[in-house]
Amino acid sequence: GENVEQHPSTLSVQEGDSAVIKCTYSDSASNYFPWYKQELGKRPQLIIDIRSNVGEKKDQRIAVTLNKTAKHFSLHITETQPEDSAVYFCAATYTNAGKSTFGDGTTLTVKP
Amino acid sequence: EAQVTQNPRYLITVTGKKLTVTCSQNMNHEYMSWYRQDPGLGLRQIYYSMNVEVTDKGDVPEGYKVSRKEKRNFPLILESPSPNQTSLYFCASSLLHGELFFGEGSRLTVL
């Protein structure tokens, strides 16, 4: 089955710096790669996603890149703010089969 | 308001006492899924359903059952709970190829 590895497990940055979280996946059939943000005590919520026919997607301060050949994708957050502090999860999904595999999560702390 | 509703939100039970966690969505989504979240292990998929009467095992299905008799409901059944099923459970729904919408979570403790 699919295996998703996410790094780093914890990340601490100064406000205004950039943060990068990386994920690798094993199943070349995976075709949908979302990123979810989970604030303390809350449910995960989608922040950005990318499909396998696209290499990069950007939404204001957040961007995701996908390298299908190397089977890895990354989340980039620029100009970080304290409210970006949360746990971030990547996931790899083969939409035709319905299975989703999540990474173990990255705890991002943005210091004011 | 579009939402996924889980009940109960918190439950303490004892080993072997059957329980059901309900999940209901009002967005007419075909896809529904259950996950458990444990510290350091991310979200692990228990079961999922791509439509009514269609269910499949995720990565950690042992000890759980599900049913999908109606499009909006996807209950998670623990026939004989054990302490290793103590966890935070999330139900989620989506259109077939899109964003997951999660419920608020159900924190289960099995003594």
Side-chain angles (χ1 to χ4, degrees), chain A residues 36 38 43 51 95 98-99, chain B residues 31 37 59 97 102 104:
Chain A
Y36 292 87
Q38 186 178 29
R43 73 190 89 186
R51 298 190 186 270
T95 54
K99 287 200 71 174
Chain B
Y31 182 87
Q37 184 174 25
D59 293 321
H97 305 292
F102 287 87
E104 292 185 295

Side-chain angles (χ1 to χ4, degrees), chain A:
Chain A
E2 176 66 277
N3 182 48
V4 176
E5 293 190 0
Q6 182 172 346
H7 297 281
S9 56
T10 60
L11 179 59
S12 182
V13 300
Q14 286 295 135
E15 183 177 359
D17 287 350
S18 296
V20 180
I21 304 170
K22 298 182 180 180
C23 288
T24 61
Y25 62 99
S26 60
D27 190 347
S28 56
S30 291
N31 56 359
Y32 175 61
F33 307 93
W35 286 89
Y36 292 87
K37 175 184 180 182
Q38 186 178 29
E39 297 176 350
L40 192 63
K42 301 285 182 68
R43 73 190 89 186
Q45 291 189 290
L46 182 80
I47 55 170
I48 196 166
D49 57 10
I50 193 166
R51 298 190 186 270
S52 57
N53 58 347
V54 176
E56 184 173 356
K57 184 176 178 181
K58 190 172 181 181
D59 183 4
Q60 298 183 340
R61 296 186 297 110
I62 295 172
V64 56
T65 58
L66 171 65
N67 183 327
K68 282 173 51 182
T69 304
K71 297 199 193 75
H72 67 70
F73 56 112
S74 300
L75 176 70
H76 305 253
I77 306 174
T78 58
E79 300 170 24
T80 54
Q81 301 165 3
E83 50 265 40
D84 294 329
S85 295
V87 179
Y88 292 80
F89 293 99
C90 64
T93 303
Y94 177 43
T95 54
N96 289 354
K99 287 200 71 174
S100 292
T101 302
F102 283 75
D104 288 344
T106 296
T107 301
L108 173 65
T109 303
V110 180
K111 299 177 184 175

Side-chain angles (χ1 to χ4, degrees), chain B residues 8-80:
Chain B
R9 295 284 318 282
Y10 303 91
L11 180 63
I12 300 174
T13 190
V14 295
T15 299
K17 186 175 181 182
K18 180 180 178 180
L19 69 92
T20 299
V21 186
T22 64
C23 175
S24 181
Q25 52 94 3
N26 63 359
M27 294 171 278
N28 202 35
H29 285 164
E30 298 92 350
Y31 182 87
M32 298 186 76
S33 184
W34 277 102
Y35 301 86
R36 60 177 289 174
Q37 184 174 25
D38 302 290
L41 295 178
L43 292 151
R44 292 183 291 168
Q45 192 173 39
I46 304 171
Y47 269 95
Y48 62 96
S49 169
M50 296 183 76
N51 215 327
V52 176
E53 301 292 1
V54 179
T55 62
D56 276 296
K57 295 178 181 178
D59 293 321
V60 289
E62 296 79 18
Y64 305 94
K65 287 174 62 175
V66 293
S67 67
R68 188 91 182 272
K69 295 188 173 68
E70 307 163 283
K71 196 172 187 178
R72 64 183 293 126
N73 296 323
F74 191 46
L76 179 69
I77 303 156
L78 286 74
E79 293 270 2
S80 183

